[in-house]
Amino acid sequence: MAGKPKNTGFPPKRGQPPSGFSFWEIKGWLTGLDAVVLGAGLVGINAALRLKERHPSWRIVVLDRSTFGGASKRNAGFACFGSPSELLDDWKTLGAEATIDLVRMRWDGLLALRTAWGDRALGYRPCGAVEAFTDSVLMESCQAMLPELNDALEGIVGGAAFQHSPSAWGMHGLAGVIHSPFEGDLDTAQLGHVLNRALHDASIPTFSGLDVELLEPTDNGWAVCTNHGVIPTPRVLVATNAWAGDLLKVDVKPVSNRVVVSQPLPSLSLKHTVHHDKGYVYAREVDGRLLIGGGRHWACDSEEERMEFLVSWAQTHIQGAERMEVAHQWEGQLGIGEVRVPVVQQIEPGLFAGVRLGGMGVAIGTLTGRQLADLV
């Protein structure tokens, strides 16, 4: 009958979830902890490594609800600090000083990431980036702003951050292009391997599939209440970014972002990354395929329609993608709020948060994690 669950007269094929941690799990991993880090992405892992560096004798564990651990391992791999139209928008709404501070934070974060692990291990390419304009008015506004913007950023990036380019850069149907030689991309799978190895080498266990449902204060610190049981600890570091609002009263909310990857495209020759429309749309080549994502600013009735918009944009503007079909797709979650800078603060005694990366996790995740640990 419609609306009724199926097979209600039969016992379930699988047993109920465990009612708590086993004696061995508690004895081996969850007793005598000095800190629990929530979130196995760039922020959480860097926070855990920093804590271990400062306190070698501490027992630290990292928890994550995801099977693979951490939203950082689902990102699109853009090592960027802001496209011209995005920074122009920030300049108008936040002011020159705040915009320059944002770029400095992102640039310093990218350097920290690359210095910590090395470009080869990260699969990092200093490929440069272009912003592809379809709006001639926006293009002219950005072009007029370039001298002032470049002058403000030269002391940070070490040269002219942006250059107007007459070249099409493997694209067509555009009003114009602005190029940046200072951005790049990386291999997110390699990033994940690097982070996991670092935790292993530091003897910091990571447990995936643990959904933290509640944080309760206790006489000795905090009770981390998960879907499998309760973990006591004197210190909790929340690095769950978009999902921090489930546990804390902080200005951050999740926003989904669609990413699609094409079938192999033999004629694709995109040697650089691409930004479009204030950074809301982004594209790059990955293993002979086109990756394109974003579009959350488009008014779409469904994520399926958003995906169709992304594919259509690529087919229209990227040479070699005219016959693009979707081979892979997934959603990532951005943590955004009223302010673009991350929340890095002590919430209560023994409770700390490093969240709200604003879609710039690759750029600022490393330093945000270290700053989070330094609060402890």
Side-chain angles (χ1 to χ4, degrees), residues 287-342:
D287 297 339
R289 304 167 184 261
L290 180 70
L291 177 153
I292 183 167
R296 61 188 174 91
H297 64 312
W298 289 330
C300 297
D301 294 330
S302 65
E303 287 304 312
E304 187 70 21
E305 183 180 12
R306 195 178 315 279
M307 182 185 71
E308 292 172 0
F309 275 37
L310 290 169
V311 171
S312 177
W313 193 92
Q315 291 172 334
T316 302
H317 297 295
I318 297 179
Q319 293 177 9
E322 292 82 3
R323 298 182 181 276
M324 172 184 174
E325 297 178 1
V326 175
H328 305 275
Q329 61 172 304
W330 69 92
E331 279 189 17
Q333 297 293 330
L334 308 181
I336 65 172
E338 292 297 323
V339 182
R340 287 184 182 268
V341 295

Side-chain angles (χ1 to χ4, degrees), residues 16-21 227-230:
Q16 295 299 311
S19 58
F21 296 112
N227 56 328
H228 282 261
V230 177

